[in-house]
Amino acid sequence: MLEVVFEKDGVFLHTSAKRQQDQDSLIPGVIRIIEKTSDVVVQWMPVNEIGDAPQIVYSKKESPGNVVCRAEEDLYDPGYEPDWAVISTVGTRARASEEIPAPAVKAGPRGKWAFSLSLSELKSIRKNKPGLGWSYLIFMTKDGVSIQALHFHHGGTRALLKALSKYVILATSPKDSRLYLVYSHDSYALSHSFDELQLFDDNSSHLVSRFLQDPYSATFGSFSKVTNFFRGALKPHDGSQQRPLSEMAMGLEDEPGFEVITCQANLGDRPSVQRQLAVTEQEWEKHVDADGRVSGVEDLKKRIFTGGLSPGLRKDVWKFLLGYYPWESTSEERKVLLRRKTDEYFRMKLQWKSVSEDQEKRNSLLRGYRSLIERDVSRTDRNNKFYEGSSNPGLVLLNDVLTTYCMFNFDLGYVQGMSDLLSPILYVMQNEVDAFWCFCAFMELVHHNFEESQEGMKRQLLQLGLLLHVLDPALCDFLDAKESGTLCFCFRWLLIWFKREFSFPDVLQLWEVLWTGLPGPNFHLLVACGILDSEREALMSSDYGFNEILKHINELTMRMSVEDVLCRAEALHQQLTACQELPLNVQEVLGLAKVKSPTHSTESDGSPQPLSPSQTQELELTDSVSPSQPDSSIEILPTEDTATPQSLSP
């Protein structure tokens, strides 16, 4: 049995930020709340076509591969190469088994955008900043994926949130007033968890009274995480006895069950760093004995970190840096290793080379990989002489190595962007086998960038934001005010290690520096911080908006000096490591402290302030209806053919 308890039309999907006036860029639809026999769902469908049911249903019962959703980092328009916003992989997508009938919707180019989301799987709802174009809402699921932003051209967000509050608790996140965390109406579980905290004392009678009057509000306001709100609720009535916030934060650093309140660290002056000359062939030979063993490895790595390598050394030294050759191996041992690795490579290559056309017709996965690789290879570094021309042998090698990698790593296969990581390696090695194994070693370092869940990318963006908040709070405040606090414009930087941001020779130098693993883990995040540090004045003094920031960052491509950026990054690292009061979470990112527990989502940290049904009308959930004003929310959505992987434009 189905019952529609809420319905609102004039709810649009914006499928292209660059074609605001085009017919296909704005898809009108209707949003509904539907009560089912054992569940409540939120459903959106296009309304200007007639006849079919939604094809996108988010349900935990379905396998992740059957869900057509995007991660939170995808909800932006980078202003260039929109394909970088989504990591495209080759796979099959089955139609959801359970669909809600909707006679007014037709299967067609627009019908595929329809979706149905169970409230039991809803984690949070994000609302736009008031006064900026049409109001929009973004639904985030518990599995960490975001549904397309819904734009309410005729208002209605307040009414929808009020209707949702009948079924779930909407709690304002203490870290973001526009983010509402979703909790179920399970008063027993809430009360029970609250009792176990044992927070009451002689000075907290006002909190007890507040709990009795509004158990939801008091429970969420007094969860085990220590926040400003929690301390305010439990502080003694005599304000003179209150300890300074900084002292309280330091005192709780090692107390289990509590979250450290990060105070502003005094970083001190930033040191001046100068790059050194590159390691020469003569310097390298001094570290190689008669048997071919490399000695003084740590000193060599430090020299490579501070100066890079002479071009003539890269073909040999990169094999050591990437772990293809063990540092302690002799020349003879490396010859034996090379023979074994050559045989292994060509056995894998023969696997796909021997597939007949008839076989490939019935192997959609291999067919998809080969099509995607062929398309990417045709536009990878074509300005480089090694890859220019229509019948260049370098292109054939690039194609063969990438396809063989699919045989080597079946789980990951080929994902767009990998061609950019292989291209410089193949250029340096000038050898198919060596390039393959060096590429495999590189992928061991960055494979999490290409996983379909994008958890690795989300984690790195969060870590980058953490570093930037300590290094430059003013810049973070500026970016937050301009709807750029997620650092989404850094997505491509981290995905392929700045491959498209610097010139080809500079990329070679940057990568060999990063491969040393010095001065600690995640130095590539400090490289990103160095770039932002060099552009902070240009960004903040020009009062850029969201789109202008994206445009400015994009225009930095090929205009930056890798030497300058590396100097800044190293100076930032020295400045952070010299700080005596560096927050523990920052120390963990830099490898200065052992990670005690996995990083938790920022959406669930802190004590949320609940939006109970009685408070819904009082909350400022204002709808801004300005059809003539461009919307500040820009998202990248799939192309018309959702089965076709997106491409990476050069």
Side-chain angles (χ1 to χ4, degrees):
M1 178 179 178
L2 304 178
E3 180 182 359
V4 178
V5 296
F6 177 88
E7 184 174 289
K8 176 64 181 176
D9 59 5
V11 182
F12 286 67
L13 279 180
H14 295 187
T15 62
S16 175
K18 300 177 181 178
R19 298 183 292 128
Q20 289 279 348
Q21 305 304 321
D22 289 3
Q23 180 180 357
D24 292 336
S25 64
L26 303 180
I27 301 179
V30 59
I31 191 168
R32 300 184 181 98
I33 299 177
I34 301 176
E35 287 186 355
K36 303 169 64 177
T37 304
S38 59
D39 198 6
V40 180
V41 299
V42 177
Q43 177 194 85
W44 181 90
M45 295 183 180
V47 296
N48 61 335
E49 298 180 350
I50 302 176
D52 198 19
Q55 298 183 20
I56 303 176
V57 175
Y58 185 90
S59 174
K60 206 165 188 177
K61 298 177 182 178
E62 300 292 334
S63 63
N66 296 341
V67 180
V68 185
C69 300
R70 274 150 303 284
E72 186 175 27
E73 283 77 9
D74 301 336
L75 299 173
Y76 65 89
D77 179 5
Y80 60 93
E81 299 178 8
D83 45 293
W84 283 100
V86 179
I87 299 179
S88 298
T89 57
V90 177
T92 58
R93 301 187 185 273
R95 183 165 176 155
S97 59
E98 182 180 9
E99 298 180 352
I100 298 176
V105 181
K106 178 183 179 181
R110 295 185 175 184
K112 65 174 176 286
W113 298 112
F115 70 85
S116 181
L117 172 64
S118 170
L119 294 189
S120 64
E121 298 302 325
L122 185 59
K123 179 181 180 181
S124 63
I125 304 173
R126 178 176 293 279
K127 194 176 187 294
N128 68 308
K129 193 172 183 179
L132 294 176
W134 295 299
S135 294
Y136 69 84
L137 296 176
I138 300 174
F139 295 91
M140 172 69 77
T141 74
K142 292 179 180 178
D143 287 343
V145 293
S146 295
I147 309 300
Q148 303 97 304
L150 300 178
H151 302 257
F152 292 70
H153 287 204
H154 305 310
T157 56
R158 173 165 42 184
L160 175 62
L161 293 173
K162 181 179 178 181
L164 288 174
S165 66
K166 297 178 182 179
Y167 304 96
V168 293
I169 299 171
L170 301 180
T172 305
S173 169
K175 296 186 178 182
D176 187 346
S177 62
R178 297 186 292 110
L179 182 66
Y180 303 103
L181 309 181
V182 180
Y183 299 89
S184 63
H185 279 292
D186 187 352
S187 57
Y188 171 79
L190 293 175
S191 302
H192 185 65
S193 63
F194 183 72
D195 291 338
E196 289 180 343
L197 296 176
Q198 299 179 352
L199 296 173
F200 297 120
D201 56 27
D202 294 337
N203 295 319
S204 58
S205 59
H206 62 294
L207 183 59
V208 177
S209 175
R210 194 151 56 87
F211 173 75
L212 296 176
Q213 295 173 9
D214 190 347
Y216 293 118
S217 187
T219 299
F220 281 114
S222 308
F223 248 143
S224 59
K225 296 296 184 180
V226 177
T227 63
N228 292 335
F229 172 79
F230 173 67
R231 289 196 172 277
L234 295 183
K235 69 180 180 181
H237 293 293
D238 184 2
S240 62
Q241 299 178 5
Q242 181 71 25
R243 294 171 58 195
L245 179 62
S246 59
E247 293 181 13
M248 292 157 52
M250 294 172 61
L252 290 172
E253 181 170 319
D254 295 322
E255 188 171 353
F258 290 88
E259 176 182 303
V260 177
I261 302 175
T262 302
C263 54
Q264 181 59 46
N266 181 14
L267 298 180
D269 296 332
R270 185 180 303 175
S272 176
V273 173
Q274 298 293 327
R275 297 285 294 168
Q276 299 180 17
L277 296 176
V279 177
T280 63
E281 285 84 349
Q282 293 77 14
E283 186 176 355
W284 169 260
E285 290 173 358
K286 293 179 181 178
H287 289 267
V288 181
D289 63 19
D291 293 328
R293 292 188 180 90
V294 181
S295 61
V297 174
E298 294 306 315
D299 291 337
L300 265 177
K301 286 183 178 180
K302 291 178 182 178
R303 280 287 293 116
I304 296 171
F305 174 77
T306 57
L309 292 165
S310 298
L313 278 176
R314 287 183 173 131
K315 184 175 182 179
D316 293 325
V317 182
W318 277 21
K319 298 173 186 177
F320 291 96
L321 287 174
L322 287 166
Y324 175 33
Y325 283 170
W327 290 96
E328 67 279 5
S329 62
T330 65
S331 299
E332 289 301 318
E333 289 171 341
R334 291 194 291 271
K335 290 179 181 179
V336 174
L337 175 66
L338 178 58
R339 286 195 295 268
R340 178 167 59 84
K341 289 294 187 179
T342 300
D343 291 342
E344 187 176 350
Y345 171 77
F346 283 107
R347 279 198 302 269
M348 290 185 291
K349 183 175 181 179
L350 184 61
Q351 290 175 356
W352 64 267
K353 278 285 190 180
S354 60
V355 174
S356 66
E357 293 184 7
D358 189 52
Q359 284 179 298
E360 188 170 321
K361 289 179 181 178
R362 292 186 293 272
N363 190 332
S364 60
L365 193 61
L366 177 60
R367 190 169 63 250
Y369 285 145
R370 296 187 66 168
S371 175
L372 194 56
I373 291 171
E374 182 180 356
R375 184 172 59 184
D376 285 356
V377 165
S378 66
R379 56 191 177 185
T380 299
D381 291 326
R382 298 308 301 276
N383 293 328
N384 188 303
K385 290 185 177 180
F386 190 73
Y387 300 109
E388 68 181 4
S390 58
S391 58
N392 194 302
L395 298 178
V396 178
L397 293 180
L398 198 63
N399 178 89
D400 289 359
V401 171
L402 291 172
T403 309
T404 305
Y405 183 77
C406 296
M407 300 292 104
F408 175 78
N409 191 340
F410 285 101
D411 289 340
L412 186 59
Y414 177 78
V415 184
Q416 290 173 306
M418 290 182 181
S419 62
D420 277 283
L421 298 184
L422 172 60
S423 171
I425 295 176
L426 182 59
Y427 168 82
V428 168
M429 295 299 158
Q430 304 278 311
N431 177 279
E432 182 178 3
V433 175
D434 290 341
F436 173 81
W437 291 111
C438 287
F439 174 69
C440 290
F442 192 10
M443 286 302 302
E444 283 297 308
L445 296 175
V446 299
H447 68 89
H448 51 267
N449 290 6
F450 299 94
E451 293 171 352
E452 192 169 8
S453 67
Q454 297 190 14
E455 288 300 322
M457 290 301 300
K458 288 186 283 187
R459 181 178 63 254
Q460 290 178 84
L461 287 171
L462 289 174
Q463 291 173 334
L464 176 59
L466 182 63
L467 292 174
L468 199 61
H469 270 89
V470 175
L471 289 167
D472 199 337
L475 178 59
C476 286
D477 291 342
F478 170 81
L479 294 175
D480 285 337
K482 302 301 181 180
E483 302 296 315
S484 301
T486 59
L487 304 177
C488 57
F489 47 82
C490 301
F491 187 91
R492 185 175 72 172
W493 296 359
L494 306 182
L495 178 68
I496 53 172
W497 274 28
F498 311 93
K499 164 62 167 56
R500 297 197 179 186
E501 316 314 316
F502 296 97
S503 66
F504 201 86
D506 279 358
V507 168
L508 304 183
Q509 181 181 354
L510 174 63
W511 284 5
E512 62 200 17
V513 168
L514 295 176
W515 289 337
T516 64
L518 299 175
N522 295 314
F523 185 69
H524 68 293
L525 299 180
L526 288 175
V527 172
C529 289
I531 296 175
L532 294 175
D533 178 71
S534 66
E535 298 300 319
R536 74 181 309 274
E537 295 301 326
L539 291 171
M540 298 178 68
S541 63
S542 302
D543 193 28
Y544 283 155
F546 179 78
N547 290 329
E548 289 78 13
I549 291 174
L550 293 173
K551 183 175 183 293
H552 179 84
I553 294 298
N554 180 46
E555 291 176 347
L556 295 177
T557 301
M558 302 301 168
R559 292 172 46 195
M560 297 181 291
S561 165
V562 74
E563 292 281 348
D564 176 68
V565 171
L566 285 172
C567 284
R568 288 178 183 269
E570 187 178 354
L572 292 175
H573 186 273
Q574 293 181 15
Q575 188 178 21
L576 289 171
T577 54
C579 178
Q580 298 299 316
E581 50 190 41
L582 196 65
L584 179 61
N585 47 12
V586 178
Q587 295 182 44
E588 292 172 348
V589 172
L590 299 177
L592 304 176
K594 186 177 181 180
V595 179
K596 296 181 179 180
S597 61
T599 302
H600 296 287
S601 171
T602 57
E603 291 182 1
S604 59
D605 288 346
S607 63
Q609 303 175 26
L611 177 66
S612 62
S614 61
Q615 297 170 317
T616 307
Q617 295 179 348
E618 301 175 3
L619 201 65
E620 291 186 7
L621 300 176
T622 56
D623 294 336
S624 177
V625 183
S626 307
S628 61
Q629 185 177 1
D631 191 9
S632 64
S633 155
I634 305 173
E635 66 266 12
I636 297 301
L637 301 179
T639 56
E640 292 297 319
D641 183 7
T642 57
T644 303
Q646 297 184 13
S647 61
L648 300 176
S649 303

